[in-house]
Short mmCIF file of all heavy atoms in Angstrom, two decimals:
data_model
loop_
_atom_site.label_atom_id
_atom_site.label_comp_id
_atom_site.label_asym_id
_atom_site.label_seq_id
_atom_site.Cartn_x
_atom_site.Cartn_y
_atom_site.Cartn_z
N ARG C 81 15.00 10.67 63.82
CA ARG C 81 15.47 11.24 65.09
C ARG C 81 16.98 11.41 65.15
O ARG C 81 17.47 12.29 65.86
CB ARG C 81 15.01 10.38 66.26
CG ARG C 81 13.59 10.70 66.69
CD ARG C 81 13.45 10.72 68.21
NE ARG C 81 12.21 11.39 68.60
CZ ARG C 81 12.13 12.64 68.96
NH1 ARG C 81 13.20 13.39 68.96
NH2 ARG C 81 10.97 13.17 69.31
N ASP C 82 17.73 10.56 64.43
CA ASP C 82 19.18 10.65 64.51
C ASP C 82 19.78 11.63 63.51
O ASP C 82 20.99 11.72 63.36
CB ASP C 82 19.82 9.28 64.30
CG ASP C 82 19.43 8.66 62.95
OD1 ASP C 82 18.63 9.28 62.24
OD2 ASP C 82 19.94 7.56 62.64
N THR C 83 18.93 12.40 62.82
CA THR C 83 19.41 13.39 61.86
C THR C 83 19.70 14.70 62.58
O THR C 83 18.86 15.21 63.32
CB THR C 83 18.38 13.65 60.76
OG1 THR C 83 18.10 12.41 60.11
CG2 THR C 83 18.91 14.64 59.74
N ASP C 84 20.91 15.26 62.36
CA ASP C 84 21.26 16.54 62.96
C ASP C 84 20.55 17.67 62.24
O ASP C 84 20.20 17.56 61.06
CB ASP C 84 22.78 16.78 62.89
CG ASP C 84 23.54 15.74 63.70
OD1 ASP C 84 22.95 15.20 64.65
OD2 ASP C 84 24.71 15.47 63.35
N ASP C 85 20.42 18.81 62.93
CA ASP C 85 19.79 19.97 62.29
C ASP C 85 20.61 20.52 61.15
O ASP C 85 20.09 21.20 60.26
CB ASP C 85 19.55 21.09 63.32
CG ASP C 85 18.26 20.87 64.11
OD1 ASP C 85 17.48 19.98 63.72
OD2 ASP C 85 18.04 21.57 65.11
N ASP C 86 21.92 20.23 61.14
CA ASP C 86 22.74 20.70 60.02
C ASP C 86 22.77 19.69 58.88
O ASP C 86 23.49 19.85 57.91
CB ASP C 86 24.17 21.00 60.47
CG ASP C 86 24.88 19.75 61.00
OD1 ASP C 86 24.26 18.68 61.03
OD2 ASP C 86 26.05 19.88 61.39
N LEU C 87 21.94 18.61 59.02
CA LEU C 87 21.79 17.57 58.01
C LEU C 87 23.05 16.75 57.79
O LEU C 87 23.14 15.99 56.84
CB LEU C 87 21.36 18.17 56.66
CG LEU C 87 20.06 18.96 56.68
CD1 LEU C 87 19.76 19.44 55.27
CD2 LEU C 87 18.92 18.16 57.23
N SER C 88 24.04 16.87 58.70
CA SER C 88 25.29 16.15 58.48
C SER C 88 25.12 14.64 58.58
O SER C 88 25.89 13.89 58.01
CB SER C 88 26.34 16.60 59.52
OG SER C 88 25.89 16.32 60.83
N ALA C 89 24.09 14.20 59.29
CA ALA C 89 23.88 12.75 59.43
C ALA C 89 22.88 12.22 58.41
O ALA C 89 22.59 11.05 58.39
CB ALA C 89 23.37 12.44 60.84
N PHE C 90 22.38 13.12 57.56
CA PHE C 90 21.38 12.66 56.60
C PHE C 90 22.03 12.20 55.31
O PHE C 90 22.97 12.81 54.82
CB PHE C 90 20.37 13.77 56.29
CG PHE C 90 19.15 13.24 55.59
CD1 PHE C 90 18.12 12.67 56.32
CD2 PHE C 90 19.06 13.27 54.21
CE1 PHE C 90 17.02 12.16 55.67
CE2 PHE C 90 17.96 12.75 53.56
CZ PHE C 90 16.94 12.19 54.30
N ASP C 91 21.52 11.14 54.77
CA ASP C 91 22.05 10.58 53.53
C ASP C 91 21.67 11.48 52.37
O ASP C 91 20.50 11.73 52.11
CB ASP C 91 21.47 9.18 53.32
CG ASP C 91 22.20 8.46 52.19
OD1 ASP C 91 22.95 9.11 51.45
OD2 ASP C 91 21.99 7.24 52.08
N ILE C 92 22.68 12.00 51.65
CA ILE C 92 22.43 12.96 50.57
C ILE C 92 21.53 12.39 49.49
O ILE C 92 20.78 13.12 48.85
CB ILE C 92 23.78 13.41 49.96
CG1 ILE C 92 24.52 14.29 50.98
CG2 ILE C 92 23.59 14.18 48.67
CD1 ILE C 92 25.90 14.69 50.53
N GLU C 93 21.56 11.08 49.29
CA GLU C 93 20.79 10.50 48.19
C GLU C 93 19.28 10.67 48.38
O GLU C 93 18.52 10.52 47.44
CB GLU C 93 21.13 9.03 48.02
CG GLU C 93 20.62 8.15 49.13
CD GLU C 93 21.00 6.70 48.93
OE1 GLU C 93 21.84 6.42 48.06
OE2 GLU C 93 20.44 5.86 49.64
N HIS C 94 18.85 11.00 49.62
CA HIS C 94 17.42 11.19 49.84
C HIS C 94 16.97 12.60 49.45
O HIS C 94 15.78 12.90 49.49
CB HIS C 94 17.07 10.95 51.31
CG HIS C 94 17.16 9.51 51.70
ND1 HIS C 94 18.07 9.04 52.62
CD2 HIS C 94 16.47 8.43 51.26
CE1 HIS C 94 17.92 7.74 52.76
NE2 HIS C 94 16.97 7.34 51.94
N LEU C 95 17.91 13.48 49.12
CA LEU C 95 17.53 14.83 48.72
C LEU C 95 17.01 14.82 47.30
O LEU C 95 17.72 14.48 46.37
CB LEU C 95 18.76 15.76 48.80
CG LEU C 95 18.50 17.23 48.45
CD1 LEU C 95 17.57 17.84 49.48
CD2 LEU C 95 19.79 18.00 48.42
N THR C 96 15.74 15.18 47.12
CA THR C 96 15.14 15.16 45.79
C THR C 96 14.62 16.54 45.43
O THR C 96 14.23 17.31 46.29
CB THR C 96 13.95 14.18 45.76
OG1 THR C 96 12.99 14.56 46.74
CG2 THR C 96 14.42 12.76 46.04
N VAL C 97 14.64 16.84 44.16
CA VAL C 97 14.10 18.10 43.69
C VAL C 97 12.62 17.90 43.40
O VAL C 97 12.23 17.03 42.66
CB VAL C 97 14.83 18.57 42.42
CG1 VAL C 97 14.20 19.84 41.88
CG2 VAL C 97 16.30 18.79 42.73
N ASP C 98 11.81 18.74 44.01
CA ASP C 98 10.37 18.54 43.92
C ASP C 98 9.72 19.91 43.70
O ASP C 98 9.47 20.64 44.64
CB ASP C 98 9.85 17.90 45.21
CG ASP C 98 8.35 17.62 45.16
OD1 ASP C 98 7.75 17.74 44.08
OD2 ASP C 98 7.79 17.31 46.20
N GLY C 99 9.47 20.27 42.46
CA GLY C 99 8.89 21.59 42.20
C GLY C 99 9.90 22.66 42.56
O GLY C 99 11.05 22.62 42.19
N LEU C 100 9.47 23.63 43.36
CA LEU C 100 10.35 24.72 43.77
C LEU C 100 11.04 24.45 45.10
O LEU C 100 11.73 25.29 45.60
CB LEU C 100 9.55 26.02 43.88
CG LEU C 100 9.40 26.78 42.58
CD1 LEU C 100 8.49 27.96 42.79
CD2 LEU C 100 10.72 27.25 42.05
N LYS C 101 10.77 23.32 45.70
CA LYS C 101 11.39 23.05 46.98
C LYS C 101 12.51 22.05 46.79
O LYS C 101 12.70 21.47 45.73
CB LYS C 101 10.36 22.54 47.98
CG LYS C 101 9.68 21.24 47.57
CD LYS C 101 8.44 21.00 48.41
CE LYS C 101 7.78 19.69 48.02
NZ LYS C 101 6.45 19.55 48.54
N PHE C 102 13.23 21.80 47.86
CA PHE C 102 14.40 20.95 47.76
C PHE C 102 14.09 19.50 48.02
O PHE C 102 14.97 18.67 48.01
CB PHE C 102 15.46 21.43 48.76
CG PHE C 102 15.92 22.80 48.47
CD1 PHE C 102 15.45 23.86 49.22
CD2 PHE C 102 16.79 23.05 47.43
CE1 PHE C 102 15.87 25.14 48.96
CE2 PHE C 102 17.21 24.33 47.16
CZ PHE C 102 16.73 25.38 47.93
N GLY C 103 12.85 19.18 48.29
CA GLY C 103 12.49 17.79 48.47
C GLY C 103 12.03 17.47 49.86
O GLY C 103 12.00 18.31 50.74
N SER C 104 11.67 16.24 50.08
CA SER C 104 11.17 15.78 51.36
C SER C 104 12.23 14.94 52.04
O SER C 104 12.45 13.80 51.69
CB SER C 104 9.89 14.96 51.16
OG SER C 104 9.46 14.43 52.38
N LEU C 105 12.95 15.54 52.99
CA LEU C 105 14.01 14.83 53.67
C LEU C 105 13.40 13.96 54.77
O LEU C 105 13.54 14.21 55.95
CB LEU C 105 15.02 15.81 54.28
CG LEU C 105 15.84 16.57 53.27
CD1 LEU C 105 16.77 17.53 53.98
CD2 LEU C 105 16.64 15.64 52.40
N SER C 106 12.72 12.95 54.38
CA SER C 106 12.05 12.08 55.33
C SER C 106 12.44 10.64 55.07
O SER C 106 12.90 10.29 54.01
CB SER C 106 10.53 12.23 55.22
OG SER C 106 10.11 11.98 53.89
N SER C 107 12.21 9.81 56.06
CA SER C 107 12.57 8.41 55.93
C SER C 107 11.70 7.72 54.90
O SER C 107 10.57 8.12 54.64
CB SER C 107 12.42 7.72 57.29
OG SER C 107 12.59 6.33 57.16
N SER C 108 12.26 6.67 54.32
CA SER C 108 11.51 5.93 53.31
C SER C 108 10.47 5.00 53.93
O SER C 108 9.65 4.44 53.22
CB SER C 108 12.49 5.11 52.45
OG SER C 108 13.23 4.23 53.28
N SER C 109 10.50 4.84 55.26
CA SER C 109 9.54 3.96 55.91
C SER C 109 8.18 4.63 55.99
O SER C 109 8.06 5.85 55.88
CB SER C 109 10.03 3.59 57.31
OG SER C 109 10.21 4.76 58.10
N GLU C 110 7.14 3.83 56.20
CA GLU C 110 5.78 4.35 56.25
C GLU C 110 5.58 5.21 57.49
O GLU C 110 6.09 4.94 58.56
CB GLU C 110 4.79 3.18 56.27
CG GLU C 110 4.76 2.38 54.98
CD GLU C 110 4.25 3.21 53.80
OE1 GLU C 110 3.40 4.10 54.04
OE2 GLU C 110 4.71 2.99 52.68
N LYS C 111 4.77 6.25 57.34
CA LYS C 111 4.47 7.15 58.45
C LYS C 111 3.01 7.02 58.85
O LYS C 111 2.15 6.74 58.02
CB LYS C 111 4.76 8.60 58.06
CG LYS C 111 6.23 8.94 57.92
CD LYS C 111 6.38 10.43 57.64
CE LYS C 111 7.84 10.84 57.66
NZ LYS C 111 8.60 10.15 56.61
N SER C 112 2.76 7.28 60.13
CA SER C 112 1.38 7.35 60.61
C SER C 112 0.96 8.81 60.62
O SER C 112 1.77 9.71 60.35
CB SER C 112 1.29 6.75 62.02
OG SER C 112 2.04 7.55 62.94
N ASP C 113 -0.29 9.09 60.96
CA ASP C 113 -0.79 10.46 60.97
C ASP C 113 -0.02 11.33 61.97
O ASP C 113 0.05 12.56 61.80
CB ASP C 113 -2.28 10.47 61.32
CG ASP C 113 -3.12 9.88 60.20
OD1 ASP C 113 -2.61 9.81 59.06
OD2 ASP C 113 -4.28 9.48 60.45
N ASP C 114 0.55 10.72 63.01
CA ASP C 114 1.26 11.49 64.04
C ASP C 114 2.67 11.87 63.61
O ASP C 114 3.37 12.57 64.34
CB ASP C 114 1.35 10.67 65.34
CG ASP C 114 -0.02 10.43 65.96
OD1 ASP C 114 -0.92 11.27 65.74
OD2 ASP C 114 -0.18 9.40 66.66
N ASP C 115 3.08 11.42 62.44
CA ASP C 115 4.45 11.67 61.97
C ASP C 115 4.55 12.84 60.99
O ASP C 115 5.61 13.07 60.42
CB ASP C 115 5.01 10.41 61.30
CG ASP C 115 5.09 9.23 62.25
OD1 ASP C 115 5.26 9.47 63.45
OD2 ASP C 115 4.97 8.08 61.78
N TYR C 116 3.47 13.57 60.81
CA TYR C 116 3.45 14.66 59.83
C TYR C 116 3.22 16.02 60.51
O TYR C 116 2.74 16.09 61.64
CB TYR C 116 2.32 14.45 58.81
CG TYR C 116 2.55 13.30 57.86
CD1 TYR C 116 2.03 12.04 58.15
CD2 TYR C 116 3.27 13.48 56.69
CE1 TYR C 116 2.23 10.97 57.27
CE2 TYR C 116 3.47 12.42 55.82
CZ TYR C 116 2.95 11.17 56.11
OH TYR C 116 3.15 10.13 55.25
N ILE C 117 3.57 17.06 59.77
CA ILE C 117 3.18 18.41 60.15
C ILE C 117 1.79 18.65 59.56
O ILE C 117 1.60 18.50 58.35
CB ILE C 117 4.16 19.46 59.59
CG1 ILE C 117 5.57 19.22 60.15
CG2 ILE C 117 3.70 20.87 59.90
CD1 ILE C 117 6.64 20.07 59.50
N THR C 118 0.83 18.98 60.38
CA THR C 118 -0.55 19.13 59.92
C THR C 118 -0.89 20.59 59.64
O THR C 118 -0.17 21.51 60.06
CB THR C 118 -1.53 18.58 60.96
OG1 THR C 118 -1.45 19.40 62.15
CG2 THR C 118 -1.20 17.13 61.31
N THR C 119 -2.00 20.78 58.95
CA THR C 119 -2.47 22.13 58.65
C THR C 119 -2.77 22.90 59.92
O THR C 119 -2.49 24.10 60.03
CB THR C 119 -3.72 22.07 57.76
OG1 THR C 119 -3.41 21.33 56.57
CG2 THR C 119 -4.19 23.47 57.36
N ASP C 120 -3.34 22.23 60.92
CA ASP C 120 -3.65 22.89 62.19
C ASP C 120 -2.38 23.36 62.88
O ASP C 120 -2.34 24.45 63.46
CB ASP C 120 -4.41 21.93 63.11
CG ASP C 120 -5.83 21.67 62.63
OD1 ASP C 120 -6.35 22.51 61.87
OD2 ASP C 120 -6.41 20.64 63.01
N MET C 121 -1.32 22.54 62.82
CA MET C 121 -0.04 22.96 63.41
C MET C 121 0.47 24.24 62.75
O MET C 121 0.97 25.15 63.41
CB MET C 121 1.01 21.86 63.25
CG MET C 121 0.80 20.62 64.09
SD MET C 121 2.18 19.47 63.80
CE MET C 121 1.51 17.97 64.51
N ILE C 122 0.35 24.29 61.42
CA ILE C 122 0.86 25.45 60.68
C ILE C 122 0.07 26.70 61.04
O ILE C 122 0.64 27.78 61.21
CB ILE C 122 0.80 25.17 59.16
CG1 ILE C 122 1.73 24.00 58.80
CG2 ILE C 122 1.19 26.41 58.36
CD1 ILE C 122 1.58 23.50 57.40
N ARG C 123 -1.24 26.57 61.16
CA ARG C 123 -2.07 27.72 61.57
C ARG C 123 -1.65 28.20 62.95
O ARG C 123 -1.51 29.41 63.20
CB ARG C 123 -3.55 27.32 61.57
CG ARG C 123 -4.14 27.09 60.19
CD ARG C 123 -5.66 27.15 60.26
NE ARG C 123 -6.27 26.82 58.98
CZ ARG C 123 -6.74 25.63 58.66
NH1 ARG C 123 -6.68 24.62 59.53
NH2 ARG C 123 -7.29 25.40 57.48
N GLU C 124 -1.48 27.28 63.89
CA GLU C 124 -1.07 27.65 65.24
C GLU C 124 0.32 28.28 65.25
O GLU C 124 0.59 29.21 66.02
CB GLU C 124 -1.09 26.41 66.15
CG GLU C 124 -2.49 25.87 66.40
CD GLU C 124 -2.47 24.59 67.21
OE1 GLU C 124 -1.40 24.29 67.83
OE2 GLU C 124 -3.48 23.87 67.23
N LEU C 125 1.21 27.77 64.39
CA LEU C 125 2.56 28.33 64.29
C LEU C 125 2.51 29.79 63.85
O LEU C 125 3.19 30.65 64.42
CB LEU C 125 3.39 27.50 63.30
CG LEU C 125 4.78 28.04 62.96
CD1 LEU C 125 5.68 28.01 64.18
CD2 LEU C 125 5.40 27.24 61.81
N CYS C 126 1.70 30.08 62.85
CA CYS C 126 1.60 31.46 62.34
C CYS C 126 1.03 32.40 63.40
O CYS C 126 1.40 33.59 63.46
CB CYS C 126 0.73 31.49 61.09
SG CYS C 126 1.48 30.65 59.66
N SER C 127 0.14 31.88 64.23
CA SER C 127 -0.43 32.71 65.31
C SER C 127 0.56 32.91 66.45
O SER C 127 0.63 33.98 67.04
CB SER C 127 -1.71 32.05 65.85
OG SER C 127 -2.69 31.92 64.84
#
């Protein structure tokens, strides 16, 4: 929550190269199901 949209508050060391994307800029702590972007959300977004 304390990360700015320009990523200025994000720790650079968490940026990882993962395939063709720039990585998962997410916290190292465990997430619950409510902490993810789901397939249903993506479908609704496209619509």
Side-chain angles (χ1 to χ4, degrees):
R81 277 222 164 262
D82 59 356
T83 302
D84 296 334
D85 276 350
D86 62 359
L87 302 182
S88 61
F90 194 83
D91 191 347
I92 289 175
E93 70 181 12
H94 289 116
L95 182 65
T96 58
V97 177
D98 182 10
L100 274 175
K101 61 195 181 194
F102 298 102
S104 175
L105 291 179
S106 56
S107 172
S108 58
S109 59
E110 293 295 328
K111 289 185 174 62
S112 65
D113 291 341
D114 294 333
D115 298 331
Y116 290 94
I117 299 172
T118 65
T119 303
D120 289 338
M121 289 182 195
I122 296 170
R123 290 198 185 98
E124 293 175 16
L125 173 66
C126 292
S127 299

